[in-house]
Amino acid sequence: QVQLVESGGGLVQAGGSLRLSCAASGRTFSSYAMGWFRQAPGKEREFVAAISRIGGTTYYEDSVKGRFTISRDNAKNTVYLQMNSLKPEDTAVYYCNAGLSEFPGKYWGQGTQVTVSS
């Protein structure tokens, strides 16, 4: 029942920043834990970050800790991924994910391309 629409991807130089947004349908956004995954060329999809329903608990893949920040605004039905100090190895398609209790969640966004040049 949840539809996710992502935006904010693009091309950025190493060391730069991007903020990804994921807008969710429905009025029960706060019922869902949210996350971000990414898939680089030739690699399988991997976990990046997740946030609990209210936003009090966050989780990060080790390689992005200290550089990426996940947040949510339940009033706007939106989850964000602030990405700082980007590296070429961060280049991937980034996917928004939502779920009630499963991991990964049942619902996926269409993906947004992030390309970091050296």
Side-chain angles (χ1 to χ4, degrees):
Q1 301 91 342
V2 177
Q3 296 187 44
L4 307 172
V5 180
E6 298 156 313
S7 61
L11 175 64
V12 65
Q13 294 185 46
S17 298
L18 286 172
R19 189 178 76 159
L20 306 183
S21 298
C22 174
S25 65
R27 295 182 294 276
T28 58
F29 178 72
S30 62
S31 296
Y32 293 87
M34 303 293 298
W36 291 93
F37 290 70
R38 66 187 180 187
Q39 188 165 20
K43 305 290 185 180
E44 66 181 26
R45 193 171 300 186
E46 68 172 357
F47 169 77
V48 177
I51 188 166
S52 61
R53 293 172 179 83
I54 304 302
T57 306
T58 57
Y59 307 87
Y60 297 96
E61 194 274 325
D62 286 345
S63 69
V64 308
K65 287 180 179 176
R67 300 189 298 121
F68 291 11
T69 302
I70 188 170
S71 62
R72 67 191 296 160
D73 186 338
N74 287 349
K76 296 180 178 179
N77 285 6
T78 301
V79 63
Y80 305 95
L81 186 67
Q82 178 68 45
M83 305 185 295
N84 299 326
S85 301
L86 283 161
K87 305 174 181 179
E89 49 263 46
D90 294 318
T91 295
V93 177
Y94 284 70
Y95 297 90
C96 186
N97 177 254
L100 293 173
S101 61
E102 325 93 284
F103 180 84
K106 181 178 180 179
Y107 303 99
W108 294 92
Q110 79 284 355
T112 185
Q113 177 70 50
V114 172
T115 302
V116 184
S117 65
S118 59

